[in-house]
Amino acid sequence: MPLLHLSFYSAFTLSSLGLAFHRAHFISALLCLESMMLSMYVALSTWPVENQTPSLILMPIFMLAFSACEAGTGLAMLVASTRTHGSDHLQNLNLLQC
């Protein structure tokens, strides 16, 4: 396995482990999701170059667009939950009370 692939896999794995184990604040969960999307974007950007396929060159652009939408939605949810609950702690959020 090349060093480049190992760095992508380790970045994605570390961010998913951070999402699984450090769920105290909503902002830390959003940062872990963004780092997962960033590692996937970089991996998708280098994949057509390594395989020399020009047909998949638009895939990273779509991934970046969906990542921006996900970040905007996450920040809107963060602001809304902070306004209604007073903090961004995930333990204060209960979906059954909505």
Side-chain angles (χ1 to χ4, degrees):
M1 176 183 306
L3 187 60
L4 189 65
H5 290 266
L6 181 66
S7 65
F8 297 145
Y9 293 144
S10 63
F12 187 81
T13 304
L14 286 175
S15 57
S16 61
L17 284 174
L19 182 64
F21 293 126
H22 300 290
R23 293 183 297 165
H25 295 278
F26 193 58
I27 192 73
S28 65
L30 286 176
L31 284 173
C32 289
L33 283 174
E34 285 303 314
S35 65
M36 288 170 66
M37 294 296 267
L38 180 67
S39 65
M40 287 174 56
Y41 170 72
V42 173
L44 278 176
S45 296
T46 58
W47 185 44
V49 174
E50 289 177 358
N51 294 336
Q52 297 174 351
T53 55
S55 63
L56 298 175
I57 206 72
L58 285 178
M59 196 62 138
I61 303 296
F62 291 135
M63 178 77 180
L64 193 61
F66 285 125
S67 175
C69 292
E70 180 257 336
T73 305
L75 287 176
M77 288 174 49
L78 174 71
V79 168
S81 68
T82 304
R83 285 184 180 171
T84 58
H85 293 74
S87 69
D88 68 334
H89 290 283
L90 288 177
Q91 62 190 3
N92 293 341
L93 300 177
N94 189 359
L95 293 177
L96 297 176
Q97 291 178 351
C98 292

